[in-house]
Amino acid sequence: MNFDLSTEQKEIIDMAKKFVANEIIPVAQEFDEKGKFPREIFQKAWELGLINTSIPSEYGGAGFSNLDAVIITEALAYGCMGMNSSFMANDLALLPIVIGGSDEQKKKWLTPFTQEFKIAAFCLTEPNNGSDAAGIKTTIKDDGDHWVISGNKMWITNAGEADLYVVYGTVDPALKHKGISVCVVEKGAQGLEIGKKEDKMGHRASDTRGLTFNNVRVPKENMLGKPGDGWKIAMGTLDHSRPLVASSAVGGAQRALDESITYAKQRNQFGVPIAKHQAIQTIISDMAMKVEASRLLVQKAAVMADQGQRNTLVASYAKAFATDSCMQITTDAVQVYGGYGYSKEYPVEKLMRDAKLLQIYEGTSQIQRLVIAREVLS
Ligand code: CAA
C-alpha cells in the first residue's frame, strides 16, 4: 500500500491549486452573495482539463482514474464548494452515459464535451421522490420511433445552464426499480420547461431548479441501455459520484482547518495567540484528524472503483463520514473565529452554509447509513 501521489498527480494538483488561488478564492464570496453562476470560471476549468474527469480516453477524455478525479475535486472545492457543485454535476450527468451508453451513444454525447465547453444535468430527484429514488413518477412512454417523457424534476444542479439532460423515468410504475429507465434529452427540446432558480442557503453560485417535461419526445436511440436498465445505471453512477461529493467535503473541511489555524495564530486573548490555549488546540486537533480520516476513506472508495471492485459500502462510508465531518469542522471553524466567524466578512460562515448541502444531495447522510446497514447486515 503506497499513499504517495504520482508525479503526474502532483503536477495536476499544483495546477488546480494555482487555478483555485487565482480564479476562485478571490471571487467566491461575491458569487455567493449575488447567487451568480460562474460560467467563465467553469469554462476556464474546462480549458485546463479539470472537469469532465469521467470521460474515458477513447472518447477524447484525459483518461483520469477515480483517484485522480477525487484529488482534483478536493482541490477545486477548497476554493468554493458551491462552484464545485456545478463542475461535479457535469460528471454526475455524464457517468450514466459512460456506464450505460453504447459505443455510438458515447461518441455522440461524451466526445462533444471534450471538444467544446458544455454543461450537463442529472435529473433523478422529483418534488415527491428524493431518497426513494425507485418511486419516481416521471413516465417514459413508447410511441413508435420515439420515447415520450412526462413529469417533474426538482433540485436539479445546472438545470438552467445545461446543454444536455440525463433524465430518469419509469416505463411502468408497477415494476418499481425494474421499470426505471434513462434517456438523454438535448437543450431546447420541445416541451422542456425550466423552473425558477432556487434561492438557497449555500452553494449559491450553483444553478438549482425544477424542470417540467411536457410530453418531451426523444428518438428511441436516446435511451441508455434498454427499458428497465435505468436503476442499475443510476446506482452505479452514485457509487462513482458519492466519493466525489465526499472529496468536495474534504476540500471544504481542509479550507476550514487552514483558515482556523491561520486565525488562531493571529488572534490574541489573555495575552497570547488563541492557538496557545488547549481549548482551541483540541478543536483544531479534532478537525485535523477528521480531515485526514475522511480523505483516506474517499481515496479508498476511489481506488476500489479503479480496481473494478464494487465500492457501494465504502462509497457510503466516505460520503457519510466526510460530509458529516465537514459539517462539524466548518461549524468548529466558526467557533474558533468567535463573533468574527459569524460575520460575512470572514470566509468561515460560507463554509458552514456550504457544508450543509453535502449531507443532503446525492443521498442524505441517513440514506448512506441505510446503505451501510444493508451491506454490513447482509
Ligand atoms: N449497484 C448495483 N445494484 C444496486 C445498488 C448498487 N449500488 N444498490 C442497490 N442495487 C440493487 C439491489 O441489489 C436490488 O437488486 P435486485 O432487484 O436484484 O434485488 C435493487 O437495486 C433494489 O435495491 P433496494 O431494494 O436497495 O432499493 P430501494 O428502493 O430500497 O432503495 C436506495 C435503495 C439506496 C435507498 C436508493 O433509493 C437511493 O440511493 N436513494 C437515494 C437517492 C439519491 O442518492 N439521490 C440523489 C439524486 S442526485 C443529486 O442529488 C444531485 C443533484 O444534482 C442535486
Side-chain angles (χ1 to χ4, degrees), residues 92 122 124-125 130-134 155-157 177-178 231-232 235-236 238-239 242 310 312 361-363 367 370-371 374:
L92 178 63
F122 178 87
L124 175 65
T125 304
S131 294
D132 181 11
W155 310 121
I156 306 302
T157 307
H177 64 273
K178 294 200 164 82
W231 180 256
K232 290 264 151 87
M235 292 298 115
L238 292 168
D239 286 348
R242 285 174 179 159
R310 184 166 162 185
T312 308
Y361 68 15
E362 292 192 40
I367 286 295
L370 180 148
V371 173
R374 285 184 183 175

PDB file of all heavy atoms in Angstrom, residues 92 122 124-125 130-134 155-157 177-178 231-232 235-236 238-239 242 310 312 361-363 367 370-371 374, ligand 1:
ATOM      1  N   LEU A  92     -21.589  13.879 -12.870  1.00  0.00           N
ATOM      2  CA  LEU A  92     -22.748  13.106 -12.399  1.00  0.00           C
ATOM      3  C   LEU A  92     -23.675  12.796 -13.589  1.00  0.00           C
ATOM      4  O   LEU A  92     -24.226  11.699 -13.692  1.00  0.00           O
ATOM      5  CB  LEU A  92     -23.485  13.913 -11.321  1.00  0.00           C
ATOM      6  CG  LEU A  92     -24.746  13.313 -10.738  1.00  0.00           C
ATOM      7  CD1 LEU A  92     -24.434  12.004 -10.003  1.00  0.00           C
ATOM      8  CD2 LEU A  92     -25.428  14.289  -9.772  1.00  0.00           C
ATOM      9  N   PHE A 122     -28.064  16.067 -14.290  1.00  0.00           N
ATOM     10  CA  PHE A 122     -28.531  14.713 -13.939  1.00  0.00           C
ATOM     11  C   PHE A 122     -29.906  14.869 -13.306  1.00  0.00           C
ATOM     12  O   PHE A 122     -30.045  15.533 -12.270  1.00  0.00           O
ATOM     13  CB  PHE A 122     -27.531  14.147 -12.928  1.00  0.00           C
ATOM     14  CG  PHE A 122     -27.821  12.773 -12.370  1.00  0.00           C
ATOM     15  CD1 PHE A 122     -27.398  11.628 -13.024  1.00  0.00           C
ATOM     16  CD2 PHE A 122     -28.458  12.630 -11.134  1.00  0.00           C
ATOM     17  CE1 PHE A 122     -27.611  10.362 -12.467  1.00  0.00           C
ATOM     18  CE2 PHE A 122     -28.679  11.371 -10.576  1.00  0.00           C
ATOM     19  CZ  PHE A 122     -28.243  10.230 -11.256  1.00  0.00           C
ATOM     20  N   LEU A 124     -32.800  13.077 -11.637  1.00  0.00           N
ATOM     21  CA  LEU A 124     -33.397  11.915 -10.981  1.00  0.00           C
ATOM     22  C   LEU A 124     -34.476  12.369  -9.996  1.00  0.00           C
ATOM     23  O   LEU A 124     -35.633  11.938 -10.076  1.00  0.00           O
ATOM     24  CB  LEU A 124     -32.303  11.106 -10.260  1.00  0.00           C
ATOM     25  CG  LEU A 124     -32.735   9.912  -9.418  1.00  0.00           C
ATOM     26  CD1 LEU A 124     -33.356   8.822 -10.292  1.00  0.00           C
ATOM     27  CD2 LEU A 124     -31.541   9.308  -8.647  1.00  0.00           C
ATOM     28  N   THR A 125     -34.094  13.282  -9.096  1.00  0.00           N
ATOM     29  CA  THR A 125     -34.983  13.690  -7.999  1.00  0.00           C
ATOM     30  C   THR A 125     -36.246  14.378  -8.500  1.00  0.00           C
ATOM     31  O   THR A 125     -36.219  15.113  -9.495  1.00  0.00           O
ATOM     32  CB  THR A 125     -34.197  14.629  -7.064  1.00  0.00           C
ATOM     33  OG1 THR A 125     -33.034  13.932  -6.637  1.00  0.00           O
ATOM     34  CG2 THR A 125     -35.009  15.038  -5.857  1.00  0.00           C
ATOM     35  N   GLY A 130     -37.237  11.936  -3.380  1.00  0.00           N
ATOM     36  CA  GLY A 130     -35.817  12.254  -3.277  1.00  0.00           C
ATOM     37  C   GLY A 130     -35.065  10.999  -2.854  1.00  0.00           C
ATOM     38  O   GLY A 130     -34.481  10.301  -3.679  1.00  0.00           O
ATOM     39  N   SER A 131     -35.182  10.657  -1.565  1.00  0.00           N
ATOM     40  CA  SER A 131     -34.493   9.455  -1.054  1.00  0.00           C
ATOM     41  C   SER A 131     -35.041   8.182  -1.700  1.00  0.00           C
ATOM     42  O   SER A 131     -34.294   7.252  -2.001  1.00  0.00           O
ATOM     43  CB  SER A 131     -34.658   9.369   0.468  1.00  0.00           C
ATOM     44  OG  SER A 131     -33.990  10.446   1.084  1.00  0.00           O
ATOM     45  N   ASP A 132     -36.355   8.150  -1.921  1.00  0.00           N
ATOM     46  CA  ASP A 132     -36.979   6.956  -2.526  1.00  0.00           C
ATOM     47  C   ASP A 132     -36.910   7.063  -4.050  1.00  0.00           C
ATOM     48  O   ASP A 132     -37.903   7.348  -4.728  1.00  0.00           O
ATOM     49  CB  ASP A 132     -38.438   6.841  -2.054  1.00  0.00           C
ATOM     50  CG  ASP A 132     -39.129   5.607  -2.622  1.00  0.00           C
ATOM     51  OD1 ASP A 132     -38.424   4.733  -3.199  1.00  0.00           O
ATOM     52  OD2 ASP A 132     -40.367   5.516  -2.501  1.00  0.00           O
ATOM     53  N   ALA A 133     -35.706   6.815  -4.560  1.00  0.00           N
ATOM     54  CA  ALA A 133     -35.475   7.029  -5.993  1.00  0.00           C
ATOM     55  C   ALA A 133     -36.285   6.061  -6.869  1.00  0.00           C
ATOM     56  O   ALA A 133     -36.677   6.412  -7.990  1.00  0.00           O
ATOM     57  CB  ALA A 133     -33.989   6.906  -6.292  1.00  0.00           C
ATOM     58  N   ALA A 134     -36.556   4.847  -6.350  1.00  0.00           N
ATOM     59  CA  ALA A 134     -37.294   3.874  -7.176  1.00  0.00           C
ATOM     60  C   ALA A 134     -38.749   4.276  -7.352  1.00  0.00           C
ATOM     61  O   ALA A 134     -39.448   3.727  -8.212  1.00  0.00           O
ATOM     62  CB  ALA A 134     -37.210   2.480  -6.540  1.00  0.00           C
ATOM     63  N   TRP A 155     -34.684  20.117  -7.710  1.00  0.00           N
ATOM     64  CA  TRP A 155     -33.317  20.241  -7.167  1.00  0.00           C
ATOM     65  C   TRP A 155     -32.273  19.784  -8.177  1.00  0.00           C
ATOM     66  O   TRP A 155     -31.346  19.048  -7.840  1.00  0.00           O
ATOM     67  CB  TRP A 155     -33.150  19.441  -5.859  1.00  0.00           C
ATOM     68  CG  TRP A 155     -34.190  19.690  -4.841  1.00  0.00           C
ATOM     69  CD1 TRP A 155     -35.040  18.779  -4.291  1.00  0.00           C
ATOM     70  CD2 TRP A 155     -34.508  20.956  -4.231  1.00  0.00           C
ATOM     71  NE1 TRP A 155     -35.879  19.392  -3.383  1.00  0.00           N
ATOM     72  CE2 TRP A 155     -35.569  20.725  -3.336  1.00  0.00           C
ATOM     73  CE3 TRP A 155     -34.010  22.247  -4.358  1.00  0.00           C
ATOM     74  CZ2 TRP A 155     -36.136  21.734  -2.565  1.00  0.00           C
ATOM     75  CZ3 TRP A 155     -34.583  23.259  -3.599  1.00  0.00           C
ATOM     76  CH2 TRP A 155     -35.624  22.989  -2.718  1.00  0.00           C
ATOM     77  N   ILE A 156     -32.456  20.198  -9.407  1.00  0.00           N
ATOM     78  CA  ILE A 156     -31.534  19.739 -10.448  1.00  0.00           C
ATOM     79  C   ILE A 156     -30.390  20.753 -10.621  1.00  0.00           C
ATOM     80  O   ILE A 156     -30.624  21.888 -11.047  1.00  0.00           O
ATOM     81  CB  ILE A 156     -32.281  19.496 -11.796  1.00  0.00           C
ATOM     82  CG1 ILE A 156     -33.464  18.532 -11.584  1.00  0.00           C
ATOM     83  CG2 ILE A 156     -31.306  19.000 -12.862  1.00  0.00           C
ATOM     84  CD1 ILE A 156     -33.123  17.172 -11.003  1.00  0.00           C
ATOM     85  N   THR A 157     -29.181  20.305 -10.305  1.00  0.00           N
ATOM     86  CA  THR A 157     -27.996  21.164 -10.441  1.00  0.00           C
ATOM     87  C   THR A 157     -27.719  21.392 -11.931  1.00  0.00           C
ATOM     88  O   THR A 157     -27.785  20.450 -12.726  1.00  0.00           O
ATOM     89  CB  THR A 157     -26.783  20.488  -9.771  1.00  0.00           C
ATOM     90  OG1 THR A 157     -27.149  20.147  -8.447  1.00  0.00           O
ATOM     91  CG2 THR A 157     -25.568  21.408  -9.733  1.00  0.00           C
ATOM     92  N   HIS A 177     -38.310  -0.465  -9.119  1.00  0.00           N
ATOM     93  CA  HIS A 177     -36.987  -0.151  -9.684  1.00  0.00           C
ATOM     94  C   HIS A 177     -36.736  -0.850 -11.019  1.00  0.00           C
ATOM     95  O   HIS A 177     -35.948  -0.381 -11.830  1.00  0.00           O
ATOM     96  CB  HIS A 177     -35.866  -0.433  -8.668  1.00  0.00           C
ATOM     97  CG  HIS A 177     -35.739  -1.867  -8.279  1.00  0.00           C
ATOM     98  ND1 HIS A 177     -36.466  -2.444  -7.264  1.00  0.00           N
ATOM     99  CD2 HIS A 177     -34.956  -2.840  -8.781  1.00  0.00           C
ATOM    100  CE1 HIS A 177     -36.133  -3.707  -7.154  1.00  0.00           C
ATOM    101  NE2 HIS A 177     -35.228  -3.971  -8.054  1.00  0.00           N
ATOM    102  N   LYS A 178     -37.458  -1.943 -11.271  1.00  0.00           N
ATOM    103  CA  LYS A 178     -37.232  -2.682 -12.530  1.00  0.00           C
ATOM    104  C   LYS A 178     -37.811  -1.940 -13.742  1.00  0.00           C
ATOM    105  O   LYS A 178     -37.548  -2.306 -14.887  1.00  0.00           O
ATOM    106  CB  LYS A 178     -37.806  -4.098 -12.426  1.00  0.00           C
ATOM    107  CG  LYS A 178     -37.057  -4.944 -11.402  1.00  0.00           C
ATOM    108  CD  LYS A 178     -37.252  -6.438 -11.618  1.00  0.00           C
ATOM    109  CE  LYS A 178     -36.228  -7.269 -10.877  1.00  0.00           C
ATOM    110  NZ  LYS A 178     -36.485  -7.511  -9.483  1.00  0.00           N
ATOM    111  N   TRP A 231     -32.198   1.807 -13.403  1.00  0.00           N
ATOM    112  CA  TRP A 231     -31.904   1.715 -11.966  1.00  0.00           C
ATOM    113  C   TRP A 231     -30.450   1.328 -11.720  1.00  0.00           C
ATOM    114  O   TRP A 231     -29.737   1.976 -10.952  1.00  0.00           O
ATOM    115  CB  TRP A 231     -32.855   0.705 -11.310  1.00  0.00           C
ATOM    116  CG  TRP A 231     -32.618   0.568  -9.839  1.00  0.00           C
ATOM    117  CD1 TRP A 231     -31.995  -0.458  -9.201  1.00  0.00           C
ATOM    118  CD2 TRP A 231     -32.982   1.515  -8.816  1.00  0.00           C
ATOM    119  NE1 TRP A 231     -31.938  -0.231  -7.850  1.00  0.00           N
ATOM    120  CE2 TRP A 231     -32.545   0.980  -7.589  1.00  0.00           C
ATOM    121  CE3 TRP A 231     -33.620   2.746  -8.829  1.00  0.00           C
ATOM    122  CZ2 TRP A 231     -32.739   1.633  -6.380  1.00  0.00           C
ATOM    123  CZ3 TRP A 231     -33.815   3.397  -7.626  1.00  0.00           C
ATOM    124  CH2 TRP A 231     -33.372   2.853  -6.420  1.00  0.00           C
ATOM    125  N   LYS A 232     -30.018   0.259 -12.392  1.00  0.00           N
ATOM    126  CA  LYS A 232     -28.622  -0.193 -12.193  1.00  0.00           C
ATOM    127  C   LYS A 232     -27.656   0.893 -12.658  1.00  0.00           C
ATOM    128  O   LYS A 232     -26.596   1.099 -12.060  1.00  0.00           O
ATOM    129  CB  LYS A 232     -28.357  -1.518 -12.945  1.00  0.00           C
ATOM    130  CG  LYS A 232     -29.081  -2.715 -12.317  1.00  0.00           C
ATOM    131  CD  LYS A 232     -28.193  -3.504 -11.355  1.00  0.00           C
ATOM    132  CE  LYS A 232     -28.949  -4.206 -10.243  1.00  0.00           C
ATOM    133  NZ  LYS A 232     -29.494  -5.463 -10.362  1.00  0.00           N
ATOM    134  N   MET A 235     -27.654   3.574  -9.860  1.00  0.00           N
ATOM    135  CA  MET A 235     -26.934   3.132  -8.650  1.00  0.00           C
ATOM    136  C   MET A 235     -25.422   3.055  -8.916  1.00  0.00           C
ATOM    137  O   MET A 235     -24.605   3.440  -8.086  1.00  0.00           O
ATOM    138  CB  MET A 235     -27.453   1.758  -8.171  1.00  0.00           C
ATOM    139  CG  MET A 235     -28.877   1.789  -7.640  1.00  0.00           C
ATOM    140  SD  MET A 235     -29.071   2.842  -6.176  1.00  0.00           S
ATOM    141  CE  MET A 235     -30.136   4.120  -6.783  1.00  0.00           C
ATOM    142  N   GLY A 236     -25.058   2.580 -10.108  1.00  0.00           N
ATOM    143  CA  GLY A 236     -23.626   2.517 -10.481  1.00  0.00           C
ATOM    144  C   GLY A 236     -23.041   3.923 -10.560  1.00  0.00           C
ATOM    145  O   GLY A 236     -21.895   4.164 -10.147  1.00  0.00           O
ATOM    146  N   LEU A 238     -24.084   6.554  -8.848  1.00  0.00           N
ATOM    147  CA  LEU A 238     -23.935   7.098  -7.489  1.00  0.00           C
ATOM    148  C   LEU A 238     -22.739   6.465  -6.762  1.00  0.00           C
ATOM    149  O   LEU A 238     -22.061   7.127  -5.984  1.00  0.00           O
ATOM    150  CB  LEU A 238     -25.241   6.929  -6.705  1.00  0.00           C
ATOM    151  CG  LEU A 238     -26.401   7.797  -7.240  1.00  0.00           C
ATOM    152  CD1 LEU A 238     -27.735   7.383  -6.631  1.00  0.00           C
ATOM    153  CD2 LEU A 238     -26.163   9.287  -6.994  1.00  0.00           C
ATOM    154  N   ASP A 239     -22.454   5.187  -7.062  1.00  0.00           N
ATOM    155  CA  ASP A 239     -21.264   4.561  -6.462  1.00  0.00           C
ATOM    156  C   ASP A 239     -19.999   5.329  -6.860  1.00  0.00           C
ATOM    157  O   ASP A 239     -19.036   5.416  -6.095  1.00  0.00           O
ATOM    158  CB  ASP A 239     -21.114   3.098  -6.914  1.00  0.00           C
ATOM    159  CG  ASP A 239     -22.117   2.170  -6.235  1.00  0.00           C
ATOM    160  OD1 ASP A 239     -22.762   2.592  -5.257  1.00  0.00           O
ATOM    161  OD2 ASP A 239     -22.260   1.014  -6.700  1.00  0.00           O
ATOM    162  N   ARG A 242     -20.563   9.475  -5.419  1.00  0.00           N
ATOM    163  CA  ARG A 242     -20.568   9.788  -3.980  1.00  0.00           C
ATOM    164  C   ARG A 242     -19.152  10.050  -3.444  1.00  0.00           C
ATOM    165  O   ARG A 242     -18.965  10.971  -2.640  1.00  0.00           O
ATOM    166  CB  ARG A 242     -21.305   8.687  -3.200  1.00  0.00           C
ATOM    167  CG  ARG A 242     -22.809   8.816  -3.392  1.00  0.00           C
ATOM    168  CD  ARG A 242     -23.638   7.707  -2.781  1.00  0.00           C
ATOM    169  NE  ARG A 242     -25.053   7.973  -3.011  1.00  0.00           N
ATOM    170  CZ  ARG A 242     -26.008   7.053  -2.969  1.00  0.00           C
ATOM    171  NH1 ARG A 242     -25.716   5.799  -2.698  1.00  0.00           N
ATOM    172  NH2 ARG A 242     -27.260   7.395  -3.181  1.00  0.00           N
ATOM    173  N   ARG A 310     -16.747  -3.557  -6.672  1.00  0.00           N
ATOM    174  CA  ARG A 310     -17.945  -2.821  -6.287  1.00  0.00           C
ATOM    175  C   ARG A 310     -17.627  -2.087  -4.976  1.00  0.00           C
ATOM    176  O   ARG A 310     -17.200  -2.715  -4.001  1.00  0.00           O
ATOM    177  CB  ARG A 310     -19.125  -3.784  -6.131  1.00  0.00           C
ATOM    178  CG  ARG A 310     -20.391  -3.021  -5.818  1.00  0.00           C
ATOM    179  CD  ARG A 310     -21.647  -3.854  -5.984  1.00  0.00           C
ATOM    180  NE  ARG A 310     -22.737  -3.199  -5.271  1.00  0.00           N
ATOM    181  CZ  ARG A 310     -23.935  -3.700  -5.124  1.00  0.00           C
ATOM    182  NH1 ARG A 310     -24.239  -4.868  -5.656  1.00  0.00           N
ATOM    183  NH2 ARG A 310     -24.849  -3.045  -4.463  1.00  0.00           N
ATOM    184  N   THR A 312     -19.813   0.084  -3.261  1.00  0.00           N
ATOM    185  CA  THR A 312     -21.025   0.678  -2.680  1.00  0.00           C
ATOM    186  C   THR A 312     -20.845   0.992  -1.193  1.00  0.00           C
ATOM    187  O   THR A 312     -21.148   2.098  -0.738  1.00  0.00           O
ATOM    188  CB  THR A 312     -22.216  -0.301  -2.859  1.00  0.00           C
ATOM    189  OG1 THR A 312     -22.286  -0.663  -4.237  1.00  0.00           O
ATOM    190  CG2 THR A 312     -23.522   0.315  -2.409  1.00  0.00           C
ATOM    191  N   TYR A 361     -27.423  16.227  -0.647  1.00  0.00           N
ATOM    192  CA  TYR A 361     -27.574  15.749  -2.034  1.00  0.00           C
ATOM    193  C   TYR A 361     -26.761  14.478  -2.314  1.00  0.00           C
ATOM    194  O   TYR A 361     -25.913  14.085  -1.535  1.00  0.00           O
ATOM    195  CB  TYR A 361     -27.374  16.856  -3.060  1.00  0.00           C
ATOM    196  CG  TYR A 361     -26.011  17.491  -3.281  1.00  0.00           C
ATOM    197  CD1 TYR A 361     -24.820  16.949  -2.836  1.00  0.00           C
ATOM    198  CD2 TYR A 361     -25.939  18.682  -4.010  1.00  0.00           C
ATOM    199  CE1 TYR A 361     -23.607  17.554  -3.096  1.00  0.00           C
ATOM    200  CE2 TYR A 361     -24.728  19.304  -4.278  1.00  0.00           C
ATOM    201  CZ  TYR A 361     -23.566  18.717  -3.813  1.00  0.00           C
ATOM    202  OH  TYR A 361     -22.376  19.318  -4.081  1.00  0.00           O
ATOM    203  N   GLU A 362     -27.129  13.833  -3.409  1.00  0.00           N
ATOM    204  CA  GLU A 362     -26.571  12.523  -3.801  1.00  0.00           C
ATOM    205  C   GLU A 362     -26.691  11.469  -2.696  1.00  0.00           C
ATOM    206  O   GLU A 362     -25.802  10.655  -2.482  1.00  0.00           O
ATOM    207  CB  GLU A 362     -25.140  12.681  -4.315  1.00  0.00           C
ATOM    208  CG  GLU A 362     -25.164  13.447  -5.633  1.00  0.00           C
ATOM    209  CD  GLU A 362     -23.874  13.425  -6.394  1.00  0.00           C
ATOM    210  OE1 GLU A 362     -23.235  12.363  -6.419  1.00  0.00           O
ATOM    211  OE2 GLU A 362     -23.536  14.461  -6.971  1.00  0.00           O
ATOM    212  N   GLY A 363     -27.845  11.512  -2.007  1.00  0.00           N
ATOM    213  CA  GLY A 363     -28.126  10.562  -0.935  1.00  0.00           C
ATOM    214  C   GLY A 363     -27.772  11.181   0.402  1.00  0.00           C
ATOM    215  O   GLY A 363     -26.596  11.459   0.667  1.00  0.00           O
ATOM    216  N   ILE A 367     -29.520   8.158   4.288  1.00  0.00           N
ATOM    217  CA  ILE A 367     -29.565   7.128   3.231  1.00  0.00           C
ATOM    218  C   ILE A 367     -28.224   6.384   3.166  1.00  0.00           C
ATOM    219  O   ILE A 367     -28.191   5.152   2.978  1.00  0.00           O
ATOM    220  CB  ILE A 367     -29.944   7.758   1.861  1.00  0.00           C
ATOM    221  CG1 ILE A 367     -31.435   8.103   1.827  1.00  0.00           C
ATOM    222  CG2 ILE A 367     -29.574   6.846   0.687  1.00  0.00           C
ATOM    223  CD1 ILE A 367     -32.393   6.906   1.906  1.00  0.00           C
ATOM    224  N   LEU A 370     -28.364   3.847   5.742  1.00  0.00           N
ATOM    225  CA  LEU A 370     -29.261   2.753   5.334  1.00  0.00           C
ATOM    226  C   LEU A 370     -28.498   1.786   4.404  1.00  0.00           C
ATOM    227  O   LEU A 370     -28.557   0.564   4.568  1.00  0.00           O
ATOM    228  CB  LEU A 370     -30.470   3.364   4.625  1.00  0.00           C
ATOM    229  CG  LEU A 370     -31.576   2.476   4.090  1.00  0.00           C
ATOM    230  CD1 LEU A 370     -32.901   3.221   4.179  1.00  0.00           C
ATOM    231  CD2 LEU A 370     -31.349   2.066   2.653  1.00  0.00           C
ATOM    232  N   VAL A 371     -27.750   2.364   3.447  1.00  0.00           N
ATOM    233  CA  VAL A 371     -26.962   1.517   2.527  1.00  0.00           C
ATOM    234  C   VAL A 371     -25.919   0.727   3.329  1.00  0.00           C
ATOM    235  O   VAL A 371     -25.766  -0.490   3.135  1.00  0.00           O
ATOM    236  CB  VAL A 371     -26.262   2.388   1.433  1.00  0.00           C
ATOM    237  CG1 VAL A 371     -25.307   1.550   0.597  1.00  0.00           C
ATOM    238  CG2 VAL A 371     -27.295   3.089   0.547  1.00  0.00           C
ATOM    239  N   ARG A 374     -27.572  -2.096   5.315  1.00  0.00           N
ATOM    240  CA  ARG A 374     -27.959  -3.232   4.457  1.00  0.00           C
ATOM    241  C   ARG A 374     -26.748  -4.056   4.051  1.00  0.00           C
ATOM    242  O   ARG A 374     -26.799  -5.278   4.011  1.00  0.00           O
ATOM    243  CB  ARG A 374     -28.672  -2.714   3.203  1.00  0.00           C
ATOM    244  CG  ARG A 374     -30.081  -2.261   3.515  1.00  0.00           C
ATOM    245  CD  ARG A 374     -30.783  -1.843   2.246  1.00  0.00           C
ATOM    246  NE  ARG A 374     -32.110  -1.346   2.545  1.00  0.00           N
ATOM    247  CZ  ARG A 374     -32.920  -0.830   1.641  1.00  0.00           C
ATOM    248  NH1 ARG A 374     -32.549  -0.754   0.373  1.00  0.00           N
ATOM    249  NH2 ARG A 374     -34.121  -0.407   1.978  1.00  0.00           N
TER     250      ARG A 374
HETATM  251  N1  CAA B   1     -25.285  -1.122  -7.519  1.00  0.00           N
HETATM  252  C1  CAA B   1     -25.969  -2.085  -8.184  1.00  0.00           C
HETATM  253  N2  CAA B   1     -27.201  -2.509  -7.782  1.00  0.00           N
HETATM  254  C2  CAA B   1     -27.723  -1.947  -6.688  1.00  0.00           C
HETATM  255  C3  CAA B   1     -27.062  -0.957  -5.951  1.00  0.00           C
HETATM  256  C4  CAA B   1     -25.771  -0.565  -6.410  1.00  0.00           C
HETATM  257  N3  CAA B   1     -25.085   0.379  -5.758  1.00  0.00           N
HETATM  258  N4  CAA B   1     -27.846  -0.595  -4.903  1.00  0.00           N
HETATM  259  C5  CAA B   1     -28.960  -1.315  -4.968  1.00  0.00           C
HETATM  260  N5  CAA B   1     -28.884  -2.155  -6.040  1.00  0.00           N
HETATM  261  C6  CAA B   1     -29.871  -3.147  -6.458  1.00  0.00           C
HETATM  262  C7  CAA B   1     -30.226  -4.077  -5.317  1.00  0.00           C
HETATM  263  O1  CAA B   1     -29.316  -5.145  -5.225  1.00  0.00           O
HETATM  264  C8  CAA B   1     -31.601  -4.553  -5.737  1.00  0.00           C
HETATM  265  O2  CAA B   1     -31.413  -5.518  -6.774  1.00  0.00           O
HETATM  266  P1  CAA B   1     -32.449  -6.741  -7.008  1.00  0.00           P
HETATM  267  O3  CAA B   1     -33.641  -6.173  -7.650  1.00  0.00           O
HETATM  268  O4  CAA B   1     -31.691  -7.647  -7.927  1.00  0.00           O
HETATM  269  O5  CAA B   1     -32.725  -7.322  -5.667  1.00  0.00           O
HETATM  270  C9  CAA B   1     -32.188  -3.313  -6.388  1.00  0.00           C
HETATM  271  O6  CAA B   1     -31.092  -2.493  -6.771  1.00  0.00           O
HETATM  272  C10 CAA B   1     -33.102  -2.531  -5.478  1.00  0.00           C
HETATM  273  O7  CAA B   1     -32.357  -2.137  -4.347  1.00  0.00           O
HETATM  274  P2  CAA B   1     -33.005  -1.736  -2.971  1.00  0.00           P
HETATM  275  O8  CAA B   1     -34.029  -2.766  -2.577  1.00  0.00           O
HETATM  276  O9  CAA B   1     -31.894  -1.463  -2.008  1.00  0.00           O
HETATM  277  O10 CAA B   1     -33.773  -0.376  -3.388  1.00  0.00           O
HETATM  278  P3  CAA B   1     -34.527   0.681  -2.508  1.00  0.00           P
HETATM  279  O11 CAA B   1     -35.693   1.169  -3.273  1.00  0.00           O
HETATM  280  O12 CAA B   1     -34.750   0.156  -1.115  1.00  0.00           O
HETATM  281  O13 CAA B   1     -33.530   1.955  -2.450  1.00  0.00           O
HETATM  282  C11 CAA B   1     -31.604   3.305  -2.045  1.00  0.00           C
HETATM  283  C12 CAA B   1     -32.177   1.938  -2.392  1.00  0.00           C
HETATM  284  C13 CAA B   1     -30.119   3.010  -1.848  1.00  0.00           C
HETATM  285  C14 CAA B   1     -32.166   3.919  -0.793  1.00  0.00           C
HETATM  286  C15 CAA B   1     -31.802   4.276  -3.248  1.00  0.00           C
HETATM  287  O14 CAA B   1     -33.152   4.627  -3.398  1.00  0.00           O
HETATM  288  C16 CAA B   1     -31.002   5.551  -3.102  1.00  0.00           C
HETATM  289  O15 CAA B   1     -29.784   5.557  -3.368  1.00  0.00           O
HETATM  290  N6  CAA B   1     -31.648   6.662  -2.709  1.00  0.00           N
HETATM  291  C17 CAA B   1     -31.001   7.974  -2.675  1.00  0.00           C
HETATM  292  C18 CAA B   1     -31.186   8.658  -3.993  1.00  0.00           C
HETATM  293  C19 CAA B   1     -30.113   9.652  -4.286  1.00  0.00           C
HETATM  294  O16 CAA B   1     -28.957   9.495  -3.925  1.00  0.00           O
HETATM  295  N7  CAA B   1     -30.477  10.681  -4.986  1.00  0.00           N
HETATM  296  C20 CAA B   1     -29.529  11.671  -5.380  1.00  0.00           C
HETATM  297  C21 CAA B   1     -30.022  12.430  -6.530  1.00  0.00           C
HETATM  298  S1  CAA B   1     -28.750  13.228  -7.437  1.00  0.00           S
HETATM  299  C22 CAA B   1     -28.412  14.674  -6.641  1.00  0.00           C
HETATM  300  O17 CAA B   1     -28.731  14.852  -5.523  1.00  0.00           O
HETATM  301  C23 CAA B   1     -27.557  15.619  -7.397  1.00  0.00           C
HETATM  302  C24 CAA B   1     -28.125  16.916  -7.740  1.00  0.00           C
HETATM  303  O18 CAA B   1     -27.989  17.391  -8.857  1.00  0.00           O
HETATM  304  C25 CAA B   1     -28.732  17.724  -6.670  1.00  0.00           C
END
